[in-house]
Amino acid sequence: EPRFRDWYYARIIYKSLPALVEANGLGTVDLFCHLLDDAARLSFREEEKGDEDYFYIRQPAIELGTGRDDVPSVLLCATREAAVKVISADPAKFDAVMQMFQRHKWASFRRLELHISRVFLKLKQGLLVADSFFWAPEILDRPSLRHEAVLLLKESFSQLGKATQQN
């Protein structure tokens, strides 16, 4: 039995997020990464293998706020918001945030990498992440990553390396 209904859980997170980021920026991103990882792991059947968490069905566009009060969408959006706030305040933390995302296996963390790279495409690191993702264009074949990948590709294509563009 949960202690809070999903709606209250969402309200608590969104009300506390700015103060948490201000008090401990990277720690807040890490906290929400672990909560999102737990949500993915707990919704996963043991017989299933791989990294697909299917959260893209609930939250098809990561850049939009959550229209639902389901916990995975709330956590995904909170992780996104925390990462954007931390990097906006200190662009030097871009790599640290990306490393946090890369420590988790689920597709939602690849979506976050793609989204954050697009938001901070003007940073050299954002473009490097985009280039590395599109070096293997199979990313566009994954339904869970397609939306964020297409948005990033549209915005970054002219800046990608020639070899990556030809892939």
Side-chain angles (χ1 to χ4, degrees):
E1 181 74 29
R3 294 179 188 229
F4 302 105
R5 290 190 173 164
D6 292 352
W7 185 85
Y8 291 113
Y9 189 74
R11 297 286 298 156
I12 291 167
I13 287 177
Y14 290 123
K15 289 274 191 182
S16 63
L17 185 66
L20 288 170
V21 170
E22 187 175 325
N24 186 2
L26 287 175
T28 302
V29 175
D30 194 43
L31 169 70
F32 283 112
C33 283
H34 285 291
L35 292 172
L36 181 59
D37 190 272
D38 287 346
R41 184 177 43 78
L42 293 171
S43 68
F44 202 71
R45 291 190 210 119
E46 285 185 31
E47 65 271 4
E48 293 182 74
K49 301 280 187 235
D51 64 354
E52 187 54 68
D53 54 26
Y54 300 101
F55 291 168
Y56 74 98
I57 295 169
R58 294 177 164 141
Q59 186 74 34
I62 206 168
E63 71 275 9
L64 300 178
T66 179
R68 304 166 54 124
D69 291 323
D70 74 328
V71 173
S73 291
V74 168
L75 292 172
L76 182 63
C77 291
T79 306
R80 177 203 67 212
E81 283 303 307
V84 168
K85 287 179 184 300
V86 165
I87 298 168
S88 293
D90 184 359
K93 293 184 177 170
F94 181 93
D95 290 334
V97 169
M98 286 297 171
Q99 288 170 2
M100 285 182 200
F101 293 160
Q102 291 163 0
R103 286 195 296 255
H104 301 277
K105 75 173 190 172
W106 305 107
S108 288
F109 291 97
R110 305 301 74 79
R111 293 176 67 202
L112 285 164
E113 288 178 69
L114 291 162
H115 175 75
I116 296 298
S117 296
R118 182 177 63 83
V119 170
F120 295 101
L121 197 55
K122 292 183 180 178
L123 297 178
K124 182 178 107 178
Q125 301 98 309
L127 187 57
L128 290 174
V129 171
D131 201 71
S132 68
F133 265 111
F134 296 120
W135 182 252
E138 300 83 39
I139 190 173
L140 295 167
D141 295 334
R142 290 190 62 183
S144 58
L145 303 178
R146 189 173 298 133
H147 175 77
E148 285 76 24
V150 166
L151 290 177
L152 178 59
L153 186 60
K154 283 180 182 178
E155 289 190 32
S156 68
F157 188 78
S158 65
Q159 302 170 58
L160 296 174
K162 295 291 182 202
T164 304
Q165 287 180 353
Q166 292 174 357
N167 278 343

